[in-house]
Amino acid sequence: MPVQKIWSVDHACGHSIDVDLSERPADRRAGYARWLASRDCSECWRASKDADSESRAEWLANKRAEEAEAAETWAEQYRMPSLDGSERAVGWASRCRHQLVTAAYTALVAEGGMDESEWQAIEEAVRPLTRAGWWIDNREADPSDLPELLEAASGTDRPTENPHF
């Protein structure tokens, strides 16, 4: 008598489905049917995956909103000018600037040997860098490299005193 090819699988979600396992070797069909029974059916699995994607997207949107609020509060507190670029780039760059500069303060002053007066010079060098792309490009930089990055910034990253030229 041949090994059965169609198996009735009672899935963990409660649905029962007849599954054609003829593509599997005969000696692996029973084990695979048991494995399928421990899982949700395809329909329920897709539905839960879609729900997870929605909750992940909602979580990410909330996290971005929190980061944006923290960056805005920080920028106001330290009198940082607004950035130049598209609306989307400015939002992203504002978060990048906040994260990089605060991490640099921690690395250089709180944990490093730099004193507050040296940090003030760095903070003053940060202010004129208003091109959003510069902050996005340097978002993964090591925070302790910020002074060197500021020195390397070109004139296109800083606005001119006369914006009409």
Side-chain angles (χ1 to χ4, degrees):
M1 177 162 89
V3 176
Q4 71 184 60
K5 295 178 182 180
I6 307 295
W7 290 71
S8 180
V9 176
D10 296 325
H11 287 281
C13 61
H15 293 115
S16 293
I17 299 173
D18 289 337
V19 181
D20 182 358
L21 299 179
S22 60
E23 295 292 319
R24 299 214 168 258
D27 63 337
R28 296 182 185 230
R29 292 177 190 158
Y32 188 69
R34 275 193 306 276
W35 181 82
L36 285 174
S38 70
R39 306 282 186 255
D40 288 346
C41 70
S42 298
E43 245 179 75
C44 292
W45 177 82
R46 278 189 205 97
S48 81
K49 185 177 180 223
D50 290 344
D52 285 349
S53 294
E54 289 173 15
S55 65
R56 251 182 272 158
E58 183 179 331
W59 174 84
L60 185 59
N62 289 337
K63 179 147 177 69
R64 292 291 182 248
E66 288 172 13
E67 290 173 349
E69 185 177 333
E72 185 177 323
T73 302
W74 173 84
E76 288 175 13
Q77 180 180 354
Y78 292 99
R79 300 176 330 274
M80 294 292 163
S82 57
L83 299 174
D84 301 320
S86 68
E87 183 178 338
R88 185 173 176 192
V90 165
W92 185 14
S94 296
R95 293 191 313 270
C96 294
R97 176 177 64 177
H98 170 246
Q99 292 165 354
L100 182 58
V101 175
T102 56
Y105 180 84
T106 301
L108 298 171
V109 179
E111 297 172 355
M114 185 179 283
D115 63 35
E116 289 290 333
S117 63
E118 291 175 299
W119 176 256
Q120 290 300 320
I122 291 173
E123 197 172 284
E124 289 303 319
V126 165
R127 283 193 181 87
L129 283 171
T130 58
R131 187 176 69 83
W134 190 91
W135 293 102
I136 293 168
D137 291 345
N138 290 290
R139 69 187 178 275
E140 294 177 0
D142 187 294
S144 61
D145 291 339
L146 184 60
E148 186 177 347
L149 292 170
L150 293 170
E151 287 178 27
S154 69
T156 59
D157 300 316
R158 296 176 178 94
T160 62
E161 288 183 36
N162 187 350
H164 299 291
F165 290 99

